[in-house]
């Protein structure tokens, strides 16, 4: 669904369009709030070692299951470890995995989708049937199936996200390519003898960038949730890597006596997810004002 | 395109998808590094036992032969032997399917009866307090991890207030009241996400419908807004809701894994997880295959219903 602004130009946007875009995005207060959340989480993730008051793996048997205090902001766990510090390091783990997985899916899915959509015919049929097969599985079931083969690990989760989200990028990219292929500028490039890969990646891709960015943002939200879910279920990030999902598994046995053990990690997972979801919604409205709040 | 042609086309396209799904599920075992038999039995297994399992799984045959053997078994309902349950896979899955079905149907019932009215009211009062509230519910619903809301519900309603059991399952044939009592918290947990997805869709499709030419025409003609809403707009904005039911199925089957695990409900989702943790590959294959089949059948079904209600969709897809 390319807007007029996007189709007018083959590559790049001039400054006034960018400014217009930014202004329209900044009007959406919820999305700006989301952006703020994500930037904060980004800083926390990058500087976790500097911010964390304790070493996340250090056990302290004199401070077991202590409630939140000035010393231990989020309290301590059953081994006396500082939950706040563990949450900060947990962000590093989940963000690395999600970033890797979503980028892998973006590169794979976009290449497949653009090629299929631009070339059409048998290439399109074959590629999209393969995508259909992956789409036939509910995402978490696909993830579990792949993990059963690969074994539970951090890199396993990254790979699983990459595979599981590829079809979504492929579908979005394909529908953009199908509509752009008929545009005048593509036709004229073909006449001038531009190579296929040049047309697809230098000219069609930049024009499909809007919907793809929306997809990246929303898949980031899903990716964080899925990573945490797999770790919660015991098939994701393994000890000693700190993981927000696993902290909840461990903490849920202490619900009645030490609520902070599971509540803080749970809230911590929600923050970036809310951030990405609101940014995604905002971007979608900005890129395609006709589809309000879809 | 006539509707029956469309149905035929979709059914024909469904065949290669199912073939692909079966190949994927079959091939899973071969993705395992090393021998799946060793992975299942552990490194301390005797050489004899490993070979026995390898023979049972037919691992020494060429791949296409293995696939044909396996798939012809699947067609007659033979999904192999589960090692962790010590019995055939198919009957285990049959029992568990109905447990998950109850959970999914209850969730669908509750979530639609909340999300449809909320979505309509939000759409009719755009940018009002109700609308912001519904947007808040929407964003929260898709942002809270299912396992977190489940744990919080247990803390409040089971541990704190003792209104409902912490976990466990009672068959409805045994005691319907107890069955439902055990289902309340799991359903509530699943509903949170389901409501969010359905309500956002309902709201946006209602807003879109209300903005269409023919609705403005009806208004100009002087029709009362109530009859426009119930007589015209509602019917047309329900079509995306059917799409949502299909969409929700994916979320629900994924959510069922988590919810069934937290609440110790012996459904399909918990079975997949246990099979993965136990490296019980025949059970992984069987349950993944059944879940994929269930999910894609529901999606196909909803697509066919929608195309019947709104023939324009057939043209768009063609």
């Amino acid at each position: 669904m390319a807007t007029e602004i996007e189709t007018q130009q083959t590559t790049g946007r001039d400054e006034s369009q960018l400014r217009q875009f930014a202004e329209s995005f900044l009007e959406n207060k919820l999305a700006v709030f989301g952006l703020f959340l994500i930037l904060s989480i980004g800083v926390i993730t990058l500087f976790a070692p500097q911010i964390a008051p304790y070493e996340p793996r250090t056990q302290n048997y004199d401070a077991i299951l202590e409630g939140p205090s000035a010393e231990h902001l989020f309290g301590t766990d059953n081994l006396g470890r500082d939950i706040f510090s563990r949450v900060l390091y947990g962000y590093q783990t989940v963000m690395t995995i999600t970033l890797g997985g979503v980028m892998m899916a973006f590169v794979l899915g976009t290449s497949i989708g653009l090629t299929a959509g631009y070339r059409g015919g048998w290439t399109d049929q074959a590629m999209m049937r393969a995508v259909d097969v992956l789409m036939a599985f509910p995402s978490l079931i696909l993830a579990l199936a792949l993990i059963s083969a690969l074994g539970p690990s951090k890199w396993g989760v990254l790979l699983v996200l990459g595979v599981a989200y590829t079809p979504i990028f492929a579908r979005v990219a394909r529908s953009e390519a199908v509509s752009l292929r008929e545009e005048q500028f593509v036709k004229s490039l073909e006449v001038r003898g531009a190579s296929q890969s040049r047309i697809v990646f230098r000219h069609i891709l930049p024009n499909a960038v809007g919907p793809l960015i929306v997809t990246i943002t929303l898949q980031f939200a899903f990716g964080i949730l899925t990573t945490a879910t797999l770790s919660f279920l015991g098939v994701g990030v393994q000890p000693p890597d700190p993981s927000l999902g696993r902290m909840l598994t461990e903490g849920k046995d202490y619900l009645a006596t030490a609520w902070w053990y599971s509540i803080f990690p749970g809230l911590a997972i929600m923050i970036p997810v809310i951030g990405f979801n609101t940014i995604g919604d905002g971007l979608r409205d900005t890129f395609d004002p006709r589809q309000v709040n879809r | 395109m006539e509707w029956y042609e469309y149905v035929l086309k979709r059914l024909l396209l469904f065949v290669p998808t199912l073939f692909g799904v079966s190949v994927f599920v079959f091939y899973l075992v071969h993705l395992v590094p090393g021998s799946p038999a060793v992975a299942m039995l552990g490194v301390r297994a005797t050489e004899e036992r490993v070979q026995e399992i390898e023979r049972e799984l037919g691992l020494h045959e060429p791949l296409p032969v293995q696939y044909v053997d396996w798939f012809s078994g699947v067609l007659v309902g033979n999904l192999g032997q589960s090692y962790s349950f010590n019995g055939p896979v198919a009957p285990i899955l049959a029992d568990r399917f109905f447990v998950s079905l109850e959970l999914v149907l209850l969730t669908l019932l509750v979530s639609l009866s909340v999300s449809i009215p909320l979505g309509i009211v939000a759409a009719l009062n755009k940018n009002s307090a109700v609308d912001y509230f519904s947007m808040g519910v929407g964003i929260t619903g898709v942002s809270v991890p299912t396992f977190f809301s489940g744990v919080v519900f247990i803390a409040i309603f089971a541990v704190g207030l003792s209104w409902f059991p912490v976990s466990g399952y009672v068959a409805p044939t045994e005691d319907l009241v107890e069955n439902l009592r055990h289902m309340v918290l799991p359903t509530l947990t699943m509903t949170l996400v389901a409501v969010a997805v359905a309500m956002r869709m309902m709201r946006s499709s209602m807003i879109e419908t209300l903005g269409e030419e023919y609705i403005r025409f009806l208004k100009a003609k002087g029709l009362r807004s109530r009859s426009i809403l119930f007589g015209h707009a509602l019917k047309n904005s329900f079509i995306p809701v059917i799409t949502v039911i299909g969409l929700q199925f994916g979320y629900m089957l994924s959510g069922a894994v988590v919810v069934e695990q937290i609440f110790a409900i012996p459904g399909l989702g918990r079975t997949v997880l246990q099979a993965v943790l136990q490296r019980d590959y025949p059970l992984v294959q069987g349950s993944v295959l059944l879940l994929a089949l269930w999910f894609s059948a529901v999606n196909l079904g909803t697509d066919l219903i929608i195309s019947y209600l709104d023939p324009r969709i057939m043209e768009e897809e063609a």
Side-chain angles (χ1 to χ4, degrees), chain B residues 107-116 118-119 134 137-138 141-142 187-202 244 248 252:
Chain B
T107 306
L108 210 55
L109 185 76
V110 178
S111 75
L112 288 182
S113 48
V114 174
S115 57
I116 291 176
L118 198 57
S134 74
V137 172
V142 293
T187 306
L188 191 64
T189 310
M190 295 246 290
T191 301
L192 203 60
V193 190
V195 162
V197 179
M199 193 210 59
R200 276 150 64 111
M201 190 84 175
M202 188 71 213
V244 147
Q248 273 188 340
M252 284 196 284

Side-chain angles (χ1 to χ4, degrees), chain B residues 68-88:
Chain B
V68 172
D69 279 353
W70 176 77
F71 192 66
S72 46
V74 169
L75 287 179
V76 295
N78 176 11
L79 295 166
Q81 294 283 319
S82 157
Y83 296 91
S84 53
F85 283 86
N86 238 329

Side-chain angles (χ1 to χ4, degrees), chain B residues 214-263:
Chain B
Y214 75 92
I215 296 283
R216 280 190 303 209
F217 172 74
L218 290 173
K219 257 187 209 155
K221 240 176 74 177
L223 224 62
R224 277 179 310 142
S225 48
R226 180 182 293 256
S227 58
I228 292 178
L229 175 63
F230 289 104
H232 301 272
L234 207 54
K235 201 179 85 199
N236 285 310
S237 54
F238 261 125
I239 292 168
V241 173
I242 300 172
T243 317
V244 147
I245 296 177
L247 201 76
Q248 273 188 340
F249 242 80
Y251 286 102
M252 284 196 284
L253 294 182
S254 291
V257 176
V258 179
V259 168
E260 289 174 1
Q261 176 67 8
I262 296 176
F263 292 97

